[in-house]
Amino acid sequence: MDNLKRLSNGVIQYGVLLRSRPILNCRLRISCAKVLAASFATAAASVTFAFLTPAASQVVHYPYTDLTGVYPAGGQRGQRVTVTFTGVSLSGLSGVRASGTGVTVRSFKEMGARQAQAELEISPDAPLGRRNLRVVSRSGVSDPVWFQVGQLPEVMEKEPNPSVAESQPVELPVVVNARLNPGEDVDAFRFRARAGEVLTLAVEGFVLDSQRSDLAFLDTTLTVYDATGRIVARNEDFQTLDPLLTFRPEKDGEYVAEIREQGYGGGDGAVYRLTLGTVPWATALYPAGGRRGTTVSLEVGKPDGVRERASLTVPANCPDVLDTALLPGQANTRPFVVGDLPEVLEQEPNDTPAQANPLTMPAVYNGRIERKGDRDAFRVPLRKGEGIRIDVLAGRILRSPVDLTLTVLNEAGNSIAANDDNPHTFEATDNREDSLSGDPLIELIAPADGVYTVVIRDIGGRGHPDFVYRASVTPREPSFTLDTWYDNPLIMGPGACGVIPVQIHRYAGFAGEVKLRITGLPTGYTGSEAIIPAGRLIYGPSASLTIRAPAEAKVGTLVPFGIEGEAEVNGRKVVIRTTPLAHLGQNNDHGIRRVTDTFLACVVPAEQYRIEALTRSVAGAPGQVVPIPLKIERLGETTGVPTLIPLRGLGRRHDVFGFSPPLSVKEENGRFEFPLSIPKDLAPGEYTFVLCRPLAGDFRGNRPTTTTEVIRLTVTGARTASVAAAGGKK
């Protein structure tokens, strides 16, 4: 049931190795991105705005740039590759951006509103693995798509190739770049093989976030035929929805690899990479991570079950996750998580509390559920009132195909805590690849002095040497993380502002105020500050920040920046960096997001109005209406007055996702005011918000548009209101 739930919550869990076919055949397809978000937003908008007057129901749908795919989705080191982007609002193309190093954009051109091309040069020493590609147009900078750098020769699919008889010939070893387009497309590739050699055939589509035309994740089937058309090998899912198999031919001759989508779906975004050859392919690394500044001895799993030894020197200054290939000629990369805590390897046997490995907190416990029914146990001494946090990493980042559950036992052997799916990861990524996860987490306070035993097992009792995990065991302390709905806000014209909402996730009882600020802006750009008030966890935007562009800024300019949150935790100052996230879609009110390398705002043309608050500070009591003076400039042939919403944070339930009903600005004798209604139940204190144009959707499917800078609201206990003098900015 947990596997079924995970699939229905976003197909984000990577663990399907050895899982039963009924679960995978349930055909629960998840909209990975904008279609589902748009339908959700449309429904929400119809409910939210149904009671409004026609004047107040004006909403904005800005046509921001978005991508549905790139083809091919990768290339070989040392080669030049021409890629084609598909998406929306690609007109006025001004740039293409590749993250990381080793991939240089040599040229680009637009091909209408829905297509663009770029020539990429991949250096001979480019790091292997995935990186992000984005396009920049007059409508903004897109969310990223994956592009994979490999080291094998690569070819492009040549249509038609729908059958064994019409299959495309390829020479091994090779990576074939292909796509299933249109729906019901079938691709077939013919190759020669020798008897007894071990061939690897691997499809990568799901791990590249490839989508069918209905924006469900790509789910392919791989079948191998001999020259007579007889099936000799087949796989549908290995460690993900992508198939992989090893094949040992019985005799010399020609064979055909056929790829199709399980539901016979397809589309421009249904791209994949097929690797063929007698090449090393890693299925897991054990341990799956290590400490900075050390050399780690590793086991590398292979599809045929063989384990090979390798070593990895972890630089003292390196990212939290490395994408690495450890074997000579290895055709894929595997994630390796880097940290600063002491690292401990499990020691078998450790199936029972009596056999539990001793562990001193803090540390990372590295293990694997390597056989059917295997359990791993370690023990930690705790004093009464001492807190412990056990956070397991498996499906997140590592793509380990295991579904783990955690249990904590006291000295009498009684369970005092258990968890299967970490509730926090449904709301926060915390530098993890996926915001939905089946990895467990337990936080508890020791009820008495003693030695406590932690038991880790697969919930279905399965086991395999590739079922690796990392359990971070640290003191339970108040803390928080910050993230956003998206990493690419729009700045609505030179001299104007862009807005980005920030979410907080509170842990272990932290309830303090957090001060937010923009960091790292280029010269001429200014960032605001904001406050997340003290209180409980609020799911949704908790505050909004703004970036103002200089008047001379050019449309299409990219603006890198960062976001920090500062708070006092247990008497000490803590500064947390906000995780940049690309928002791919929405499912069951939980975001499907990917961690990216940086925040990137983009200057786009102004639309309809320029809006500026003539005060940056207002005050009032609960239940009062406070007028906010505005300067509004109508652009082009625009007439009338705009509708605006106060965006985060007044703390009311109706703006949990950042929205309250839009209201028309009041105009009298050329002066403009917005009537800010302070909720009756809002506690006294300091709050921040912006006034921005309402949207046709919400943040999960759109971007806030024209906005003021951040305004500070002081809520008093008395029913009096004051507004800073017009033009007097604070």
Side-chain angles (χ1 to χ4, degrees):
M1 186 62 192
D2 287 82
N3 297 338
L4 183 62
K5 177 175 67 176
R6 193 168 305 111
L7 287 172
S8 67
N9 273 336
V11 199
I12 294 301
Q13 168 67 22
Y14 286 94
V16 289
L17 175 66
L18 308 179
R19 287 196 174 156
S20 60
R21 293 305 310 150
I23 290 176
L24 294 171
N25 283 331
C26 66
R27 313 312 307 148
L28 284 173
R29 296 292 193 164
I30 305 303
S31 170
C32 173
K34 285 57 182 183
V35 163
L36 190 139
S39 62
F40 180 95
T42 301
S46 64
V47 173
T48 303
F49 304 137
F51 61 88
L52 301 174
T53 65
S57 62
Q58 303 167 16
V59 294
V60 176
H61 183 85
Y62 188 85
Y64 64 92
T65 299
D66 196 15
L67 290 178
T68 56
V70 62
Y71 179 67
Q76 184 188 8
R77 280 174 164 174
Q79 301 296 313
R80 287 200 175 198
V81 180
T82 299
V83 298
T84 300
F85 298 98
T86 55
V88 294
S89 300
L90 304 184
S91 298
L93 191 67
S94 59
V96 174
R97 181 183 184 276
S99 67
T101 61
V103 176
T104 304
V105 180
R106 290 303 180 192
S107 64
F108 56 86
K109 64 179 180 180
E110 65 178 81
M111 303 168 65
R114 300 190 62 85
Q115 278 197 338
Q117 276 191 349
E119 185 180 27
L120 308 178
E121 182 176 348
I122 307 173
S123 67
D125 59 350
L128 298 173
R130 300 181 303 179
R131 71 275 326 275
N132 296 144
L133 296 180
R134 302 179 190 251
V135 299
V136 186
S137 80
R138 287 180 58 83
S139 299
V141 57
S142 71
D143 285 330
V145 290
W146 291 118
F147 183 84
Q148 182 124 343
V149 173
Q151 54 186 332
L152 297 180
E154 304 209 1
V155 299
M156 297 286 289
E157 173 192 16
K158 296 179 181 178
E159 293 279 10
N161 59 341
S163 64
V164 172
E166 299 177 87
S167 54
Q168 175 183 342
V170 295
E171 296 288 333
L172 306 189
V174 70
V175 175
V176 182
N177 291 281
R179 61 180 163 185
L180 297 169
N181 185 35
E184 301 186 8
D185 186 20
V186 176
D187 296 338
F189 305 96
R190 186 171 69 255
F191 60 93
R192 293 197 63 84
R194 297 188 300 273
E197 67 179 342
V198 179
L199 293 175
T200 295
L201 294 85
V203 176
E204 294 173 289
F206 174 73
V207 297
L208 298 175
D209 289 327
S210 295
Q211 304 163 21
R212 312 184 315 181
S213 58
D214 59 359
L215 298 186
F217 283 113
L218 192 65
D219 186 2
T220 52
T221 296
L222 170 63
T223 306
V224 181
Y225 299 88
D226 65 13
T228 68
R230 179 175 64 95
I231 295 177
V232 293
R234 185 173 184 173
N235 182 255
E236 292 184 357
D237 305 288
F238 187 65
Q239 291 183 344
T240 70
L241 296 185
D242 289 331
L244 181 146
L245 57 83
T246 54
F247 169 55
R248 191 186 299 269
E250 295 180 354
K251 57 183 179 180
D252 294 355
E254 289 193 334
Y255 296 84
V256 173
E258 177 198 83
I259 294 89
R260 64 173 178 83
E261 218 278 331
Q262 280 202 28
Y264 287 93
D268 287 339
V271 299
Y272 65 90
R273 288 164 59 81
L274 169 65
T275 299
L276 294 160
T278 54
V279 294
W281 188 278
T283 58
L285 303 181
Y286 180 71
R291 193 173 189 178
R292 287 182 173 87
T294 66
T295 297
V296 184
S297 178
L298 294 158
E299 258 188 40
V300 183
K302 299 176 68 177
D304 57 5
V306 173
R307 325 299 292 182
E308 292 199 19
R309 303 299 306 185
S311 66
L312 175 64
T313 298
V314 184
N317 183 15
C318 70
D320 292 341
V321 180
L322 300 176
D323 211 15
T324 185
L326 295 174
L327 302 179
Q330 186 175 309
N332 70 321
T333 57
R334 293 295 306 183
F336 183 87
V337 177
V338 176
D340 297 306
L341 296 178
E343 300 273 339
V344 177
L345 286 179
E346 69 157 321
Q347 300 296 317
E348 293 280 4
N350 59 346
D351 288 41
T352 67
Q355 299 170 319
N357 301 152
L359 187 74
T360 300
M361 182 173 63
V364 177
Y365 187 78
N366 292 276
R368 55 183 168 182
I369 308 300
E370 55 187 316
R371 63 185 183 280
K372 185 176 180 180
D374 187 19
R375 296 178 178 226
D376 293 343
F378 62 87
R379 60 180 183 267
V380 182
L382 297 173
R383 300 188 65 83
K384 182 178 180 179
E386 187 177 6
I388 186 172
R389 175 185 172 98
I390 309 155
D391 188 359
V392 177
L393 186 70
R396 297 168 294 152
I397 299 179
L398 299 180
R399 306 179 212 155
S400 181
V402 64
D403 187 5
L404 296 175
T405 184
L406 269 179
T407 306
V408 179
L409 309 176
N410 61 18
E411 289 186 333
N414 299 320
S415 173
I416 61 170
N419 181 254
D420 174 24
D421 297 322
N422 172 6
H424 289 307
T425 57
F426 285 88
E427 298 182 0
T429 58
D430 196 16
N431 283 325
R432 297 158 188 155
E433 178 166 318
D434 301 301
S435 57
L436 298 177
S437 167
D439 295 340
L441 177 145
I442 285 178
E443 292 181 328
L444 65 84
I445 303 295
D449 291 355
V451 177
Y452 292 81
T453 300
V454 180
V455 180
I456 303 175
R457 63 181 177 86
D458 180 79
I459 197 167
R462 304 167 306 134
H464 190 280
D466 286 349
F467 285 12
V468 299
Y469 65 85
R470 287 168 58 81
S472 296
V473 185
T474 56
R476 180 183 184 269
E477 298 176 340
S479 62
F480 66 96
T481 59
L482 300 168
D483 61 41
T484 62
W485 279 116
Y486 50 84
D487 65 355
N488 51 349
L490 307 174
I491 300 177
M492 304 303 297
C497 286
V499 60
I500 181 168
V502 180
Q503 284 180 236
I504 187 171
H505 308 276
R506 303 176 183 270
Y507 303 96
F510 172 72
E513 177 185 273
V514 177
K515 297 178 181 178
L516 300 176
R517 55 180 173 261
I518 300 285
T519 63
L521 285 171
T523 301
Y525 290 81
T526 57
S528 64
E529 296 183 350
I531 296 172
I532 299 177
R536 64 180 179 84
L537 168 69
I538 300 175
Y539 178 61
S542 304
S544 290
L545 290 164
T546 57
I547 299 172
R548 181 176 289 279
E552 64 275 13
K554 295 182 179 180
V555 169
T557 301
L558 286 183
V559 185
F561 66 97
I563 298 174
E564 289 182 349
E566 180 181 320
E568 185 175 299
V569 181
N570 288 343
R572 59 188 177 91
K573 185 176 77 172
V574 174
V575 177
I576 299 293
R577 292 188 181 93
T578 303
T579 303
L581 297 172
H583 183 73
L584 300 187
Q586 193 70 20
N587 180 62
N588 290 348
D589 225 17
H590 301 300
I592 301 172
R593 299 177 283 177
R594 296 290 184 266
V595 175
T596 61
D597 60 320
T598 187
F599 289 101
L600 283 174
C602 186
V603 180
V604 298
E607 49 89 32
Q608 293 189 302
Y609 301 96
R610 294 184 190 275
I611 302 174
E612 182 179 354
L614 296 179
T615 179
R616 297 284 296 279
S617 178
V618 298
Q624 286 191 314
V625 176
V626 179
I628 300 178
L630 301 172
K631 177 183 177 182
I632 296 179
E633 179 186 354
R634 299 181 177 95
L635 303 178
E637 299 180 357
T638 301
T639 60
V641 293
T643 57
L644 300 177
I645 54 173
L647 173 61
R648 201 73 218 141
L650 300 183
R652 287 180 60 86
R653 185 174 184 82
H654 65 229
D655 79 338
V656 165
F657 293 103
F659 289 89
S660 58
L663 298 174
S664 292
V665 171
K666 294 181 178 180
E667 181 181 9
E668 184 175 350
N669 298 325
R671 299 182 63 179
F672 300 91
E673 286 184 347
F674 179 84
L676 178 70
S677 179
I678 302 177
K680 294 179 180 179
D681 57 352
L682 192 61
E686 297 288 319
Y687 301 85
T688 55
F689 65 97
V690 299
L691 294 176
C692 70
R693 298 292 309 281
L695 303 173
D698 61 28
F699 299 140
R700 295 158 295 180
N702 213 321
R703 307 286 188 270
T705 57
T706 305
T707 181
T708 67
E709 291 183 291
V710 171
I711 302 170
R712 183 181 297 263
L713 169 66
T714 302
V715 177
T716 64
R719 289 187 59 82
T720 59
S722 65
V723 180
K729 294 186 179 181
K730 211 174 176 181

